[in-house]
Amino acid sequence: MRSKFTVCIMSGAGSLLALLCGCCAAALGVLSGERGVAEDQDTDYYVAAVYEHQLISSPNPEALTSRKQALELMTQNLNIYEQQVMTAAQKGVQIIVFPEDGIHGFNFTRASIYPFLDFMPSPRLVRWNPCLEPQRFSDTEVLQRLSCMAIQGDMFLVANLGTKQPCGGDPGCPRDGRYQFNTDVVFSNNGTLVDRYRKHNLYFEAAFDTPLQADHIVFDTPFAGKFGVFTCFDILFFDPAVALLRDSEVKHVVFPAAWMNQLPLLAAIQIQRAFAMAFGVNLLAANVHQPSLGMTGSGVHTPLKSVWHHDMENFTGHLIISQVAKNPQGLSTKNTTGKMDPTHSQFLKLLAGDAYCEKDSQEVHCDGAPRWNMNAPPTFHSEMMYDRFTLVPVWDREGHLRVCANGLCCYLRYQRPAVSDELYALGVFDGLHTVHGTYYVQVCALVKCGGLGFDTCGQEVTEATGMFEFHLWGNFSTSYIFPLFLTSGMTLETPDQLGWENGHYFLRKRGLSSGLVTAALYGRVYERDYGP
């Protein structure tokens, strides 16, 4: 359930390290008289929070400024972070995640971001509590403030900031003599710097360097075991996102992001939920809230359900608090009810090539194999996500369709109670995506088109009325497939079943709660990102 709460904004910058103000003192007073959620929760669960932050940003990020001016700007964002920590503490939160770029902002040059960077010692080499040892390293004011928040809230805290590291003598050292990294930091509830992750897959971030090797960061917690961490665009790549999960003990991932929504396939909450389902893990995702840039969409996602926030109308931050299972359970890929759903039985017959019968008003017609091309609608092409998809329209109340491109064939068997006055299409793409990043994808997608013309299929749509019961499947050559499922009003749905059958990956759903916007199987062929 989405909760509303009043945010008490601290007035006046004051000292960057000031820990208490009227707002926080009041929150602490309330906390002392209330029981937190954690005290009452089942021991099989922990309490997590993610905060979608409405960024206070520099009006001209490319302008050169002083460290003092940079700290004054960052203090405004840190003050809000502190309020959210205190609100979360009242609810017994044990770990909180803040978004990428939420402290300093974005669109800097390499030179203009420099005053915003903290010095970052390696937590692997140095054990350090910035709040309790503030004089140990210079230019660490932001780290000190975050460390103190973790102590105040008695919770693990994950945040993103810009960091700097001298590199004189290193063969790969930039000409200015330093590395600049987009960095996630993890603090324990006693304020100790547990670890740091430096973003590996940068998204047009000229201010930052890519680490020479990808960080594979896993940190341990006393309440839920091991967590992995990576940032935003990393979620689409093998390293570090998939590589982290080779450790079977990693059941949870923290995910700071500054994600611009791109429909119909890559809205923030879509890919967040799909990652949790695909890998059977919990994903704690915090996005920046900048609707003017298409940035919104955060959530606490498990393989079976999500608590999420998506809001393009209001310009305010939002705190999500949720109980999370310590051992996430994934969707079953097998029938566990003992009774075979009739539509699934028909799907299995189609896969096996068995006889399939259709009944019209007079008689039953059977054939020895599915006749996919009988009365087939026309194939057409349209741009979706900057890629040239091959599609067929979905016109009838029920039927089965096939569309192929390169080696991938996508299949749809569907029924709907009525044909709405909207155009839907089944599309396929099997190739190298080259716009805003280069990576190889195999996609089967049932989408609502932007209008009634074929050229509108692939446009961004958020509202729909079309109701479907369907099986969607394809002969994917990769095992890394993300189920994307979005209904009207930016609502997430859970498939009834998904998994592999006879060399095909499928998704099944009956009983949508609202009109279908997108149902897609988004395959990543990581080994072909750099060529065949």
Side-chain angles (χ1 to χ4, degrees):
M1 175 174 277
R2 300 181 184 181
S3 61
K4 298 293 183 182
F5 58 91
T6 302
V7 177
C8 173
I9 302 296
M10 300 185 198
S11 59
S15 167
L16 184 71
L17 291 176
L19 295 181
L20 293 175
C21 66
C23 174
C24 293
L28 284 169
V30 172
L31 178 61
S32 65
E34 285 190 358
R35 293 179 59 180
V37 173
E39 295 180 49
D40 295 322
Q41 70 166 335
D42 191 306
T43 56
D44 292 333
Y45 293 81
Y46 64 98
V47 184
V50 299
Y51 182 59
E52 181 163 309
H53 176 53
Q54 174 66 31
L55 174 68
I56 300 171
S57 58
S58 169
N60 185 6
E62 295 187 356
L64 298 181
T65 187
S66 67
R67 175 68 172 174
K68 180 176 181 291
Q69 291 170 317
L71 288 174
E72 288 174 351
L73 175 68
M74 292 189 290
T75 295
Q76 297 179 66
N77 291 306
L78 287 165
N79 287 345
I80 298 173
Y81 277 25
E82 186 176 282
Q83 297 158 25
Q84 305 311 313
V85 168
M86 301 320 302
T87 299
Q90 296 177 51
K91 304 296 185 182
V93 166
Q94 293 157 284
I95 184 168
I96 189 168
V97 183
F98 291 101
E100 180 187 22
D101 299 331
I103 296 172
H104 55 270
F106 31 71
N107 295 328
F108 292 93
T109 67
R110 183 174 180 84
S112 68
I113 202 173
Y114 182 69
F116 292 82
L117 305 179
D118 268 32
F119 170 69
M120 184 78 229
S122 172
R124 303 292 175 91
L125 302 176
V126 177
R127 182 172 175 81
W128 179 42
N129 188 310
C131 186
L132 302 183
E133 304 171 275
Q135 304 305 321
R136 189 170 177 184
F137 302 101
S138 59
D139 289 342
T140 57
E141 292 91 339
V142 175
L143 289 169
Q144 293 169 40
R145 184 74 185 272
L146 294 169
S147 170
C148 292
M149 287 183 208
I151 295 174
Q152 283 178 273
D154 189 25
M155 66 184 69
F156 274 63
L157 183 147
V158 181
N160 175 273
L161 73 157
T163 64
K164 59 187 176 184
Q165 177 184 321
C167 58
D170 188 326
C173 187
R175 295 175 62 182
D176 52 22
R178 64 181 181 268
Y179 290 125
Q180 300 182 173
F181 294 119
N182 177 332
T183 305
D184 299 332
V185 287
V186 181
F187 292 95
S188 71
N189 61 323
N190 66 11
T192 299
L193 181 62
V194 173
D195 220 326
R196 61 96 175 93
Y197 167 74
R198 300 166 301 179
K199 187 177 181 182
H200 190 68
N201 298 285
L202 298 175
Y203 189 80
F204 303 102
E205 299 170 68
F208 293 121
D209 298 304
T210 300
L212 298 180
Q213 291 185 327
D215 293 334
H216 297 124
I217 303 303
V218 174
F219 62 93
D220 203 14
T221 66
F223 52 83
K226 291 184 177 181
F227 284 71
V229 54
F230 51 82
T231 310
C232 204
F233 200 38
D234 286 326
I235 201 170
L236 292 182
F237 296 89
F238 184 88
D239 216 359
V242 181
L244 273 181
L245 299 177
R246 286 173 165 174
D247 183 343
S248 61
E249 294 184 8
V250 177
K251 304 292 187 184
H252 321 273
V253 173
V254 292
F255 180 60
W259 190 281
M260 292 188 209
N261 289 300
Q262 190 175 5
L263 291 165
L265 301 179
L266 288 181
I269 57 173
Q270 261 183 312
I271 190 63
Q272 292 164 13
R273 180 66 194 285
F275 190 91
M277 283 195 289
F279 290 102
V281 297
N282 298 322
L283 183 74
L284 314 183
N287 198 9
V288 166
H289 188 76
Q290 294 284 99
S292 61
L293 298 176
M295 292 178 170
T296 184
S298 305
V300 177
H301 306 273
T302 78
L304 295 178
K305 67 175 184 178
S306 294
V307 181
W308 75 91
H309 176 73
H310 177 100
D311 185 357
M312 289 290 289
E313 303 297 325
N314 298 300
F315 289 80
T316 56
H318 190 88
L319 183 68
I320 298 172
I321 298 175
S322 179
Q323 283 195 348
V324 187
K326 295 179 181 179
N327 292 297
Q329 301 298 311
L331 283 169
S332 172
T333 60
K334 300 296 181 183
N335 178 32
T336 58
T337 63
K339 296 179 66 177
M340 178 67 72
D341 180 278
T343 63
H344 195 62
S345 177
Q346 293 164 356
F347 157 72
L348 294 176
K349 287 181 179 180
L350 287 173
L351 276 186
D354 290 345
Y356 177 72
C357 301
E358 291 185 334
K359 182 178 180 181
D360 63 18
S361 58
Q362 301 296 324
E363 56 187 328
V364 176
H365 304 278
C366 293
D367 201 346
R371 292 188 290 173
W372 291 102
N373 294 319
M374 185 177 64
N375 301 320
T379 299
F380 64 96
H381 295 91
S382 187
E383 185 176 280
M384 187 187 307
M385 310 288 293
Y386 302 103
D387 295 320
R388 188 172 186 261
F389 272 68
T390 304
L391 305 102
V392 291
V394 182
W395 279 333
D396 299 326
R397 284 188 59 177
E398 63 180 82
H400 46 268
L401 300 170
R402 177 178 63 178
V403 62
C404 301
N406 294 335
L408 177 64
C409 284
C410 302
Y411 305 85
L412 176 71
R413 173 164 179 76
Y414 69 96
Q415 292 180 318
R416 45 182 171 167
V419 178
S420 63
D421 54 353
E422 300 164 309
L423 176 61
Y424 282 84
L426 172 67
V428 60
F429 179 78
D430 181 1
L432 191 66
H433 175 88
T434 59
V435 178
H436 301 161
T438 301
Y439 44 93
Y440 200 103
V441 293
Q442 292 184 325
V443 185
C444 293
L446 170 61
V447 296
K448 183 203 166 186
C449 304
L452 296 180
F454 287 172
D455 60 344
T456 69
C457 296
Q459 292 180 357
E460 298 198 359
V461 173
T462 59
E463 304 294 331
T465 62
M467 304 298 286
F468 284 82
E469 295 182 0
F470 65 91
H471 279 69
L472 173 67
W473 71 98
N475 62 329
F476 292 88
S477 64
T478 177
S479 60
Y480 298 105
I481 300 168
F482 300 88
L484 306 173
F485 207 169
L486 198 64
T487 53
S488 190
M490 297 301 293
T491 302
L492 295 173
E493 290 271 355
T494 300
D496 295 334
Q497 196 177 358
L498 51 79
W500 290 95
E501 287 281 0
N502 297 344
H504 294 72
Y505 193 88
F506 77 95
L507 180 154
R508 176 171 75 93
K509 182 64 178 179
R510 301 183 69 184
L512 293 177
S513 60
S514 57
L516 182 67
V517 172
T518 302
L521 299 173
Y522 192 87
R524 280 288 285 112
V525 190
Y526 300 111
E527 63 272 20
R528 298 186 67 181
D529 284 356
Y530 306 103

